[in-house]
């Protein structure tokens, strides 16, 4: 029987099976290959992608979902939104300008395409794409911004696929989301959305061109519809889509929303003159009934039932229930089956995994396998697929549910027995501080670093050798001991107050822990794009998390044995492990966070027992876990902060707990940061020149803070005067007794030469601050402005 329920896909991974696009782009940047060769690789990736999707039986296959760097940057190129500093001379945006926007130009680097001279230019800012781990380049507009169609990419790619006999569905980032994701260049307070009337003609022109080519469906992505919008922003949608409709009356428009439900934006979305609406029912199955009620009769509905951003097989029974309900309500002929969002966020294919733990492997579906699921689900819905497909799927689901690999009785019992006092340190901070001070005897403005020291070529080579078997375990241990020893000696000589072991044994701050915990699996090739040519390979957290033995004690203890100074134990926090992994979908994330917290708690305790007086638990991903809707923040923050507290509250008052976060936006979450109750927090602050501290001061953040005084993202070594000025600025708003002196983040990407110079300057700056009584006055320590929230008991 022929399947008559249509399927489509929203986007496909674009890095290639062997990350060939990444390698090709990087070779192009370093001048090893030319433009033609890069474009050939890109074309080959697209051809494989389209053919794969066709072979899987997808009806509407996307085009223009491909990108050489980022699809938001592509939209800037399409609309000619190139900031003036790139000296773009008009015409189509060329590759050099495109990559200059992505990466900036260093002095003496490449020649500016526009003005023909060599000058330094900063790249567009980069930030996270909604709540995923993908990063996009932030469009930067000018108050007199002129938009102009400046790229033929969508048309070229459509033609390219057409030549293969595939009539694709071009994908464009919709105009309202595009503007909402952007910002105005420095000095302008204008709202980017006020540029809507200016950008719409370019979109209109693009749609007209697509219609002329013979395109029948186009997908306009408007993920901003899953955000909190105000009335003006909702009205912008009406204006935009009315105009686009008029420009291309015959083109069928699919409005794609994902990453959350539409809530109060639903009516506005349903009023738009489009032909189909795509909704994400993996994230928000609950919105389905309200969508039926709001959806006009002439609209098709695309249901995203296959999770586009996680790696689990779809439970067909649950997905079919949603699809059947929709088919009853609106009719099968108005229904399309799809992944929840672009498959960009999933690894490419399971067929490249030869070493993956075979049991969890059966439970997984990467991008290619997800295509099969979409087609199979459509077939099961209209009866064209054999019932055996459903049975096979349900058999896997049953096995997964019952697997002893997922369920640890001990972990579940322990989780259920956690008591309210397990979330609390024995004494309040003020008391702990005294006891810690007596024990540690630190000077004012104590100096420390964030954990890692340079991961030199030697360190990486040794690790690779060891993994390949070219170096024995004993040799590798000796090697790490030597590196650690050198790092400790150097810190001692530099005169730092709290030392670290250097993290030479760690490949990655999440993987290192995942590898030692039960419940994690690792892929060989499960790469996903993080930004541009950068890819990450997140661990798969599939089962109950359990720590069977200490994970870091050996190295912390070793480092402590080499010095009289206190060494800081170094751990990754539960929320960061959660955020940077593919996480099981069969229990709430909060429950998984709790299990991780208990594992870290045991490690913290073991470090304490081993004699470490200071322990840092990094939570750089805490903020990025925030839900898209403000109304959902409270719940997340509650369990996230609880997880941190659970991980850190098992120690004696004398043990000093640090945390670290490498960002500077703490607005609106300061109360939760304070509720974490870490004795010391280190944060990124140097680039914002300590400005962010005002919020901490105003809030009267109660515990110690180490605002970064060295921007470690840059190879520039700051002088001691510069760092002293930053400390001074910090001491203007935070009592001097509360301040620590440290870099913005870990030093693994820096070279030892830079590190030694910068740290010497940092220590000098701290000494100057100590001697300079004017650097901050002694002030009484005031209690926090708002009471700290204590966990539910
Ligand atoms: N301790 C880690 C390091 O120093 C922290 C990294 C991070 O914050 N991203 O590398
Ligand atoms: Zn950091």
């Amino acid at each position: 029987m022929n399947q008559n329920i249509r399927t489509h896909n929203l986007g496909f991974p674009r890095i290639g099976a062997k990350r060939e696009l990444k390698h090709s782009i990087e070779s192009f940047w370093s001048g090893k290959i030319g433009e033609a060769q890069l474009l050939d690789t890109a074309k080959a990736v697209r051809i494989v992608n389209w053919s794969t999707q066709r072979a899987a039986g997808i009806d509407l296959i996307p085009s223009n979902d491909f990108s050489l760097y980022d699809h938001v940057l592509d939209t800037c190129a399409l609309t000619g939104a190139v900031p003036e500093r790139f000296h773009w001379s008009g015409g189509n945006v060329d590759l050099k300008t495109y990559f200059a926007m992505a990466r900036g130009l260093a002095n003496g680097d490449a020649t500016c395409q526009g003005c023909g001279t060599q000058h330094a230019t900063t790249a567009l800012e980069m930030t996270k794409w909604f709540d995923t781990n993908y990063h996009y380049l932030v469009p930067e507009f000018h108050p007199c911004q002129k938009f102009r169609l400046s790229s033929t990419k969508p048309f070229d790619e459509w033609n390219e696929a057409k030549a293969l006999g595939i009539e694709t569905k071009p994908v464009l980032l919709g105009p309202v989301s595009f503007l909402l994701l952007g910002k105005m260049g420095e000095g302008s307070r204008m709202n980017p959305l006020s540029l809507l009337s200016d950008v719409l003609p370019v979109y209109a022109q693009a749609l007209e061109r697509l219609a002329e080519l013979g395109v029948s469906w186009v997908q306009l992505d408007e993920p901003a519809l899953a955000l909190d919008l105000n009335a003006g922003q909702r009205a912008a949608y009406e204006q935009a889509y009315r105009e686009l409709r008029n420009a291309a009356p015959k083109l069928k428009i699919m409005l794609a929303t994902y990453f959350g439900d539409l809530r109060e934006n639903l009516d506005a979305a349903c009023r738009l003159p489009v032909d189909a609406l795509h909704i994400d029912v993996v994230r928000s199955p609950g919105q389905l009934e309200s969508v039926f009620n709001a959806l006009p009769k002439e609209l098709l509905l695309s249901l995203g039932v296959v999770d586009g951003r996680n790696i689990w097989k779809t439970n067909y029974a649950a997905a079919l229930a949603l699809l059947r309900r929709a088919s009853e309500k609106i009719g099968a002929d108005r229904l399309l089956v799809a992944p929840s969002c672009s498959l960009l966020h999933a690894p490419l294919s399971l067929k490249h995994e030869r070493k993956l733990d075979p049991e969890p492997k059966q439970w997984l579906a990467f991008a290619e396998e997800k295509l099969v699921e979409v087609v199979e689900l459509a077939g099961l819905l209209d009866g064209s697929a054999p019932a055996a497909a459903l049975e096979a799927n349900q058999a896997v689901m049953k096995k997964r549910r019952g697997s002893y690999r997922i369920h640890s009785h001990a972990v579940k019992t322990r989780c259920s027995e956690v008591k309210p006092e397990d979330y609390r340190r024995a004494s309040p901070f003020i008391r702990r501080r005294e006891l810690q001070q007596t024990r540690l005897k630190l000077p004012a403005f104590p100096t420390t670093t964030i954990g890692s020291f340079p991961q030199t070529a030697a360190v990486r080579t040794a690790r690779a050798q060891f993994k390949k078997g070219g170096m024995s375990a004993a040799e590798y241990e000796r090697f790490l001991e030597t590196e650690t020893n050198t790092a400790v000696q150097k810190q001692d000589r530099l005169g730092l107050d709290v030392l670290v072991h250097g993290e030479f044994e760690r490949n990655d701050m999440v993987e290192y822990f995942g590898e030692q915990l039960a419940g994690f699996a690792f892929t060989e090739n499960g790469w996903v794009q993080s930004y541009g040519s950068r890819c990450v390979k997140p661990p798969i957290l599939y089962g109950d998390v359990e720590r069977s033995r200490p994970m870091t004690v050996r190295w912390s203890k070793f480092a402590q044995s080499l010095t009289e100074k206190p060494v800081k134990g170094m751990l990754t926090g539960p929320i960061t492990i959660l955020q940077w992994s593919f996480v099981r979908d069969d229990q709430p994330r909060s429950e998984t966070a709790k299990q991780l917290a208990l594992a870290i708690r045991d490690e913290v305790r073991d470090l304490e027992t081993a004699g470490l007086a200071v322990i840092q638990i990094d939570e750089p991903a805490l903020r990025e876990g925030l839900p898209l809707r403000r109304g959902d923040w409270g719940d997340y923050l509650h369990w996230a902060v609880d997880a941190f507290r659970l991980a850190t509250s098992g120690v004696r008052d004398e043990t000093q707990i640090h945390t670290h976060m490498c960002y500077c936006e703490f607005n609106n979450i300061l109360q939760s940061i304070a509720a974490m109750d870490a004795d010391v927090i280190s944060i990124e602050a140097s680039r914002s020149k300590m400005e962010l501290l005002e919020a901490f001061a105003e809030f009267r953040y109660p515990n110690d803070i180490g605002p970064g005084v060295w921007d470690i993202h840059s190879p520039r070594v700051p002088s001691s005067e510069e760092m002293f000025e930053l400390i001074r600025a910090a001491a203007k708003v935070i009592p001097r007794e509360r301040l620590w002196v440290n870099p913005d983040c870990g030093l693994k990407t820096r070279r030892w030469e830079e590190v030694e110079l910068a740290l010497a300057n940092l220590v000098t700056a701290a000494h100057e601050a100590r001697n300079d009584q004017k650097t901050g006055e002694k002030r009484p320590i005031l209690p926090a402005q708002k009471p700290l929230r204590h966990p539910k008991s």
Side-chain angles (χ1 to χ4, degrees):
M1 205 172 15
N2 235 340
Q3 171 203 306
N4 51 36
I5 293 196
R6 268 172 299 178
T7 56
H8 80 108
N9 183 24
L10 286 83
F12 205 64
R14 51 209 184 196
I15 52 181
K18 300 197 175 81
R19 284 181 295 155
E20 51 270 34
L21 188 64
K22 168 202 174 68
H23 299 131
S24 198
I25 290 172
E26 287 172 359
S27 303
F28 174 71
W29 289 340
S30 65
K32 287 196 203 100
I33 64 167
E35 187 167 321
Q37 212 178 331
L38 168 62
L39 297 182
D40 277 350
T41 311
K43 181 172 180 181
V45 169
R46 289 191 294 266
I47 290 178
V48 171
N49 282 357
W50 288 320
S51 313
T52 306
Q53 295 176 82
R54 173 167 60 184
I58 296 288
D59 295 318
L60 288 174
I61 296 170
S63 62
N64 200 43
D65 57 329
F66 176 83
S67 181
L68 283 173
Y69 199 96
D70 164 43
H71 52 272
V72 182
L73 181 62
D74 292 338
T75 317
C76 294
L78 182 73
T79 58
V82 182
E84 273 175 6
R85 65 176 181 279
F86 297 100
H87 301 175
W88 171 55
S89 47
N92 282 345
V93 173
D94 56 283
L95 215 51
K96 278 199 177 141
T97 305
Y98 179 85
F99 284 134
M101 285 165 78
R103 312 171 67 221
L105 288 175
N107 250 333
D109 200 20
T111 308
C112 169
Q113 196 64 8
C115 66
T117 64
Q118 296 193 337
H119 60 83
T121 309
T122 50
L124 296 185
E125 198 179 293
M126 191 165 62
T127 193
K128 278 165 76 79
W129 175 246
F130 297 84
D131 57 354
T132 69
N133 285 331
Y134 175 80
H135 301 74
Y136 73 94
L137 291 164
V138 179
E140 203 179 299
F141 308 116
H142 190 265
C144 333
Q145 180 75 47
K146 297 272 174 294
F147 293 102
R148 189 154 41 77
L149 191 60
S150 308
S151 157
T152 54
K153 181 176 179 292
F155 321 120
D156 299 343
E157 288 187 16
W158 194 82
N159 284 328
E160 202 177 271
K162 180 82 201 284
L164 298 173
I166 303 176
E167 292 201 10
T168 54
K169 168 186 59 146
V171 181
L172 298 175
L173 174 58
V176 181
S177 292
F178 174 53
L179 294 178
L180 289 176
L181 290 171
K183 64 167 199 182
M184 299 305 295
E186 224 163 284
S188 169
R189 300 192 149 268
M190 215 165 113
N191 177 353
L193 206 52
S194 59
L195 297 168
L196 184 62
S197 305
D198 301 297
V199 80
L200 282 175
V202 179
Y203 271 88
Q205 210 184 333
L207 294 190
E208 280 164 31
R209 273 281 271 289
L210 290 173
E212 277 163 27
L213 288 175
V215 169
S216 58
W217 276 100
V218 62
Q219 172 185 321
L220 290 171
D221 282 2
E222 290 286 4
L225 280 166
L227 303 178
D228 294 321
L229 298 179
N230 59 36
Q233 293 165 330
R234 277 193 290 270
Y237 275 101
E238 295 212 38
Q239 180 196 343
Y241 284 81
R242 206 176 334 110
E243 235 174 88
L244 297 186
R245 171 47 74 217
N246 290 339
K250 297 222 180 78
L251 198 60
K252 290 198 206 113
I253 299 177
M254 171 163 330
L255 181 75
T257 69
Y258 39 81
F259 301 151
D261 52 357
L262 300 179
R263 297 190 201 176
E264 68 288 350
N265 303 329
L266 175 64
D267 285 331
C270 284
R271 273 200 302 274
L272 301 179
V274 296
D275 302 274
L277 174 69
H278 170 83
I279 58 168
D280 178 343
V281 284
V282 172
R283 264 290 172 89
S284 338
Q287 65 177 326
L288 202 51
E289 295 300 321
S290 45
V291 170
F292 297 146
N293 293 333
L295 196 75
K297 293 228 161 5
E298 57 285 1
L299 244 65
L300 307 187
L301 182 64
S302 158
L303 285 193
V305 288
V306 168
D307 197 344
R309 46 185 292 184
N310 209 336
I311 39 74
W312 307 104
K313 271 192 177 144
T314 306
N315 183 341
Y316 281 8
L320 277 173
L322 295 174
L323 290 167
R324 291 216 169 93
R325 175 81 186 135
S327 159
E328 258 167 50
K329 288 294 280 191
I330 64 166
D333 52 332
R334 283 174 65 201
L335 204 57
L336 288 120
V337 184
S340 60
C341 59
S342 167
L343 298 176
L344 172 69
H345 311 290
L348 184 64
S349 170
L350 271 172
K351 71 176 179 243
H352 305 298
E353 298 302 326
R354 288 149 309 173
K355 294 192 193 140
L356 190 61
D357 189 330
E359 194 174 354
K361 187 178 175 184
Q362 302 165 36
W363 311 330
L364 306 181
F366 290 178
E368 284 185 14
E369 292 79 26
K370 285 174 192 290
L371 298 173
V372 176
E373 292 194 332
V374 166
V375 173
E376 222 160 51
L377 281 165
L380 285 166
L381 186 62
D382 68 14
S384 62
L390 176 60
E391 281 155 29
N393 172 275
Q394 291 303 288
V396 173
M397 293 297 134
K398 191 167 166 218
K399 263 198 181 154
R400 179 177 166 199
R401 268 195 305 274
S403 166
Y404 78 94
R405 297 288 302 281
I406 292 188
H407 303 293
S408 152
H409 182 67
V411 172
K412 289 197 198 326
T413 313
R414 188 169 175 211
C415 273
S416 68
E417 285 172 355
V418 170
K419 294 183 291 300
E421 57 267 33
D422 297 337
Y423 292 98
R424 275 194 290 267
R425 300 285 299 270
S427 306
F429 172 68
I430 303 278
R431 172 75 186 134
R432 302 198 304 264
R433 194 174 194 279
E434 270 170 35
L435 295 169
Q436 290 162 16
Q437 191 47 27
T438 310
R439 179 177 184 190
L440 295 167
K441 301 191 181 55
L442 295 169
F445 299 104
T447 53
T448 189
T449 61
I450 306 304
S452 57
F453 272 109
Q455 289 262 332
T456 55
V459 173
R460 278 178 280 130
T461 312
R463 183 181 308 129
Q465 284 242 316
F466 167 61
K467 282 209 168 147
K468 274 193 249 140
M471 193 189 244
S472 75
E475 281 170 317
Y476 185 54
E477 287 268 312
R478 290 294 89 75
F479 172 82
L480 292 175
E481 282 184 355
T482 311
E483 293 296 308
T484 309
N485 190 11
T486 311
V488 171
Q489 302 313 327
K490 285 192 174 165
Q491 294 170 81
D492 247 335
R493 242 178 288 133
L494 285 161
L496 286 150
D497 300 306
V498 174
L499 315 192
V500 297
H501 73 280
E503 302 181 20
F504 302 106
E505 75 288 7
R506 301 186 191 177
N507 39 359
D508 170 275
M509 66 186 288
V510 171
E511 195 168 83
Y512 182 74
F513 290 91
E515 277 172 349
Q516 302 186 71
L517 291 165
F520 282 86
F522 297 87
T523 63
E524 278 171 277
N525 274 297
W527 296 101
V528 287
Q529 191 179 10
S530 169
Y531 66 90
S533 69
R534 285 286 275 269
C535 304
V536 292
K537 198 154 63 68
I540 296 174
L541 200 176
Y542 67 87
D544 285 346
V545 175
E546 202 163 11
R547 191 199 73 138
S548 53
R549 66 185 75 86
M551 304 181 281
T552 66
V553 173
R554 189 241 179 275
W555 292 110
S556 294
K557 207 172 150 182
F558 174 71
Q560 185 63 85
S561 75
L562 305 169
T563 175
E564 297 294 310
K565 296 267 181 73
V567 168
K568 182 160 67 164
M570 208 48 68
L571 305 173
T572 303
I575 301 302
T576 300
I577 298 181
L578 191 77
Q579 276 303 117
W580 293 350
S581 302
F582 283 120
V583 178
R584 61 193 293 187
D585 60 352
D586 58 347
Q587 69 181 21
R589 286 170 79 82
S590 53
E591 195 57 29
T592 308
K594 192 173 181 183
Q595 296 183 355
L596 285 162
L598 286 169
I600 301 296
R601 180 183 176 96
D602 293 345
E603 187 70 14
V604 170
R605 276 208 178 128
D606 282 345
L607 283 168
E608 177 181 65
T609 309
L612 280 298
V614 185
I615 300 163
Q616 175 172 309
I617 296 93
D618 293 324
E619 281 293 21
L622 186 97
R623 194 190 155 86
E624 61 185 61
L626 280 174
L628 295 175
R629 301 281 197 151
R630 199 51 207 274
D632 301 338
W633 282 20
D635 181 49
Y636 162 74
L637 286 169
H638 190 102
W639 61 255
V641 169
D642 274 0
F644 183 85
R645 293 176 63 124
L646 183 58
T648 53
S649 296
V651 289
R652 289 178 291 128
D653 286 340
E654 294 81 348
T655 300
Q656 188 170 65
I657 297 289
H658 288 221
T659 190
H660 164 71
M661 294 176 196
C662 23
Y663 42 82
C664 51
E665 298 111 30
F666 288 94
N667 312 344
N668 315 321
I669 61 164
L670 264 179
Q671 183 155 7
S672 303
I673 302 296
M676 289 166 73
D677 200 23
D679 298 307
V680 184
I681 180 173
S682 60
I683 55 180
E684 175 185 312
S686 70
R687 277 190 288 194
S688 65
K689 307 257 183 301
M690 303 284 152
E691 257 171 41
L692 80 158
L693 287 181
E694 295 199 355
F696 279 80
E698 201 182 312
F699 173 78
R700 293 205 210 124
Y701 178 79
N703 302 7
D704 283 7
I705 314 183
V709 294
W710 165 21
D711 174 12
I712 57 87
H713 305 285
S714 149
R716 203 177 67 87
V717 172
S719 65
S720 63
E721 291 79 19
E722 239 175 277
M723 292 197 255
F724 174 65
E725 281 314 316
L726 288 175
I727 302 172
R728 230 192 191 164
K732 284 215 172 84
V733 286
I734 306 284
R736 61 182 272 144
E737 300 80 359
R738 295 284 180 81
L739 283 171
W740 284 64
V741 177
N742 47 258
D744 271 345
C745 191
L747 305 172
K748 68 168 166 233
T749 57
R750 298 268 62 94
R751 294 181 308 124
W752 269 115
E753 293 81 356
E754 298 154 7
V755 165
E756 292 194 66
L757 289 172
L759 287 180
N761 292 348
L762 182 143
V763 170
T764 307
H767 279 284
E768 277 163 23
R770 275 168 213 166
N771 295 334
D772 175 33
Q773 286 306 318
K774 279 197 278 189
T775 303
E777 282 150 44
K778 288 216 181 248
R779 270 174 279 185
I781 293 179
L782 296 166
Q785 198 184 30
K786 293 180 192 136
L788 294 192
R789 181 187 53 77
H790 278 287
K792 279 185 256 174
S793 34

